[in-house]
Amino acid sequence: MTGTTLGILIVIIAYILMMVGIGIWFSKKNNDVNDFYLGGRKLGPFVTAMSAEASDMSSWLLMGLPGLAYLTGIADAGWTAIGLAVGTYFNWLIVAKRLRRYTVAAGNAITIPDFFSNRFRDKSHALLGISALIIVIFFIPYTASGFAACGKLFSTLFGIPYIPAMIISAVIIVGYTALGGFLAASTTDFIQSIVMTLALIIVVFFGVQTAGGLSVVMENASNLPGYLSMVSTYDAAADSANHYSFISIVSTFAWGLGYFGMPHILLRFMAIEDENKLKLSRRVASIWVVISMGVAIFIGVIGYSMSKSGALEVLSGSDSETLIIKTAQLLSTHGILAIIFAGIILAGILACTMSTADSQLLAAASSISQNILKDVLHFKLSKKGTMAAARLTVLGIALIAVFLARDPNSSVFAIVSFAWAGFGAAFGPVMLFSLFWRRTNRFGALAGMISGGAMVFIWKYLVRPIGGAWNVYELLPAFLVASVCIVIVSLLTKAPSQEILDEFDSI
């Protein structure tokens, strides 16, 4: 191992030890499952905002988005970012405060399945069981994708075999999550958002300087057909521009709909200490998302000029996602201070992945231990037994995720895209109608949840492969189908009881 590699490793180890230390610290503050899964609703506005967005972005921010912009220009990445920014803002604007208030009124719900069940007074526990099952179905592979991304990062950097690297990453994430629960995950996510921000800033300044200056970066990009256009993409093979169709714009913009159904983000809304501070959280979160995604796309543009200047090798296909890793390795050759900065960049990539994996792990664990074991199967556990079950569930889910992540050639971002669609379609419409339409009943909610989740599979594997006008991201059609089913089934079945309507009106 070279001195440069050793220096980077020391920085990353220091970062990891800090995350584990936070888990140990907060382990003393978890008195019951309400603390473990929702932090006792004690989050401040800044931690709420930044932990929500850090848990959302994953390694897609520092790997997928720059890589996409590097290959094809700003259109595809740009429309996706715009959709996500709009979705982020409206989720905070219309969902956050009402959900925070409603979950307290509806039996002090501490999980999303709890809320759906309590909101509709579902004594059959069908809503509880199905929503918990959906979380498990989509979050376990989602968590596996996070473990895989960490494993690939360590394997690429330090020459460690993939499987041991992935398992070490999983042990670290499970360690601080199982110890500290929601407060540890939220606090580490807040710190990880800062690390991610520093990584973006360092890469931009170093990249522009290495490429020959901002004017050179923009000139090189403008010379490529369609590279800086929002209505066309660059085709490197033909050195020409391809029209970016309206269907493609709508499809990528639809990513924003996913926010309304993301359990790990919605839980942050439920956990804030004071609902009146959500306005500040919304502003912080929205500004950070817009700036960070804009910078990530610009890094892709800078990367092209770095390759053109010969500072970086030309990247193609999935290798483009290693752009920031390659940049960090190049930076590390410029002295001790540069090694530290390179370590921060690589810790930023690790932070992206860890901040998402810990939140998903916790949400999936709560669905099994709190909703399925306790509420559906009626396991009787003491206070200590409930906490032990919560931690053991985190461990059990992690073991399954490690097994699923054992293949180093698995597509991390394909899994993320599919899981995002699954949650957005199964939970998003149900959440919006639960909060804003008093006529919604439990039969409509069940119909929307089942039809939305099923349509994601149907569209992904049966309809979308047809191509042409049918090549639309599965989230959009599934979201629309679920919404229609909620309305039709709710109107065709018995109206909610007066008790439910009175509670809705009070919110």
Side-chain angles (χ1 to χ4, degrees):
M1 183 178 291
T2 65
T4 299
T5 305
L6 180 61
I8 292 173
L9 181 60
I10 290 171
V11 174
I12 291 178
I13 288 174
Y15 166 77
I16 289 172
L17 289 175
M18 180 170 62
M19 298 299 102
V20 174
I22 290 171
I24 294 171
W25 170 260
F26 280 109
S27 67
K28 304 171 185 176
K29 298 180 181 293
N30 289 315
N31 298 314
D32 52 35
V33 289
N34 184 44
D35 289 338
F36 189 79
Y37 285 132
L38 206 60
R41 301 186 195 267
K42 300 172 186 174
L43 292 193
F46 286 98
V47 174
T48 300
M50 298 306 289
S51 66
E53 300 317 315
S55 67
D56 157 37
M57 283 298 148
S58 75
S59 53
W60 177 82
L61 178 66
L62 294 187
M63 295 176 73
L65 203 57
L68 184 61
Y70 176 94
L71 288 179
T72 65
I74 67 171
D76 204 1
W79 284 113
T80 303
I82 291 171
L84 290 172
V86 172
T88 297
Y89 179 78
F90 279 101
N91 201 26
W92 282 96
L93 180 67
I94 67 175
V95 172
K97 190 171 185 178
R98 187 168 292 208
L99 180 62
R100 169 64 172 82
R101 187 179 298 169
Y102 215 150
T103 51
V104 174
N108 195 30
I110 62 172
T111 68
I112 299 301
D114 273 342
F115 169 65
F116 288 144
S117 182
N118 296 349
R119 158 72 173 84
F120 295 105
R121 306 297 193 274
D122 182 21
K123 295 179 181 179
S124 71
H125 294 310
L127 270 174
L128 188 75
I130 291 173
S131 55
L133 192 60
I134 288 172
I135 287 177
V136 173
I137 288 171
F138 288 110
F139 259 158
I140 289 181
Y142 209 152
T143 304
S145 74
F147 291 168
C150 288
K152 290 176 183 179
L153 175 63
F154 283 126
S155 181
T156 301
L157 286 176
F158 307 117
I160 305 171
Y162 169 77
I163 295 293
M166 184 268 292
I167 292 175
I168 290 170
S169 304
V171 168
I172 293 164
I173 295 170
V174 170
Y176 70 75
T177 304
L179 285 170
F182 186 83
L183 284 174
S186 297
T187 304
T188 53
D189 289 354
F190 173 67
I191 294 171
Q192 285 158 353
S193 70
I194 296 173
V195 176
M196 289 153 63
T197 303
L198 289 173
L200 288 168
I201 292 171
I202 293 168
V203 171
V204 166
F205 280 98
F206 175 72
V208 168
Q209 181 186 24
T210 304
L214 184 60
S215 59
V216 173
V217 169
M218 299 311 296
E219 181 181 356
N220 287 337
S222 61
N223 287 336
L224 298 177
Y227 200 81
L228 296 181
S229 170
M230 289 296 286
V231 293
S232 60
T233 56
Y234 174 64
D235 183 350
D239 193 28
S240 62
N242 292 331
H243 177 63
Y244 200 69
S245 66
F246 178 73
I247 292 176
S248 297
I249 292 174
V250 172
S251 182
T252 51
F253 192 82
W255 273 76
L257 291 173
Y259 280 107
F260 301 118
M262 290 299 131
H264 54 300
I265 298 173
L266 298 172
L267 285 172
R268 263 63 180 191
F269 301 161
M270 295 162 58
I272 193 167
E273 185 175 22
D274 182 357
E275 68 176 48
N276 294 317
K277 293 180 181 178
L278 282 166
K279 187 175 183 179
L280 173 60
S281 297
R282 181 180 76 238
R283 290 173 177 171
V284 171
S286 300
I287 291 171
W288 186 82
V289 163
V290 170
I291 293 175
S292 62
M293 288 194 296
V295 171
I297 293 171
F298 185 49
I299 286 172
V301 176
I302 295 170
Y304 169 75
S305 286
M306 293 175 70
S307 292
K308 187 176 177 63
S309 70
L312 282 182
E313 63 186 272
V314 176
L315 305 173
S316 60
S318 61
D319 286 343
S320 64
E321 295 175 353
T322 64
L323 172 60
I324 290 185
I325 297 176
K326 301 288 187 184
T327 302
Q329 290 174 325
L330 178 64
L331 173 61
S332 67
T333 62
H334 290 71
I336 295 177
L337 186 60
I339 291 174
I340 295 174
F341 284 151
I344 292 173
I345 293 171
L346 296 169
I349 297 174
L350 188 62
C352 283
T353 306
M354 291 173 68
S355 61
T356 304
D358 58 19
S359 299
Q360 293 161 350
L361 196 56
L362 207 56
S366 68
S367 295
I368 293 177
S369 68
Q370 186 69 17
N371 301 134
I372 295 177
L373 293 182
K374 182 181 176 184
D375 298 328
V376 177
L377 300 179
H378 303 295
F379 275 52
K380 300 296 183 182
L381 297 171
S382 65
K383 186 176 180 180
K384 286 186 177 180
T386 303
M387 285 297 296
R391 291 189 166 109
L392 286 172
T393 306
V394 169
L395 179 60
I397 289 173
L399 289 174
I400 298 172
V402 165
F403 176 77
L404 294 176
R406 68 191 185 283
D407 180 9
N409 297 316
S410 58
S411 174
V412 172
F413 297 107
I415 296 172
V416 169
S417 172
F418 185 66
W420 184 269
F423 283 122
F427 287 161
V430 179
M431 179 59 69
L432 292 175
F433 279 95
S434 296
L435 296 176
F436 294 99
W437 191 37
R438 70 199 301 267
R439 182 61 177 79
T440 310
N441 62 20
R442 73 183 184 93
F443 298 107
L446 273 170
M449 199 176 291
I450 295 170
S451 62
M455 183 53 66
V456 169
F457 285 91
I458 293 169
W459 196 275
K460 170 76 172 179
Y461 295 107
L462 298 179
V463 179
R464 195 172 183 183
I466 297 172
W470 301 103
N471 187 24
V472 176
Y473 181 36
E474 53 269 18
L475 171 56
L476 180 58
F479 192 98
L480 295 175
V481 166
S483 299
V484 171
C485 286
I486 291 170
V487 173
I488 293 175
V489 174
S490 291
L491 292 176
L492 290 177
T493 51
K494 186 179 179 180
S497 67
Q498 192 60 46
E499 179 189 3
I500 294 175
L501 294 177
D502 290 343
E503 182 178 84
F504 180 91
D505 292 337
S506 72
I507 301 302

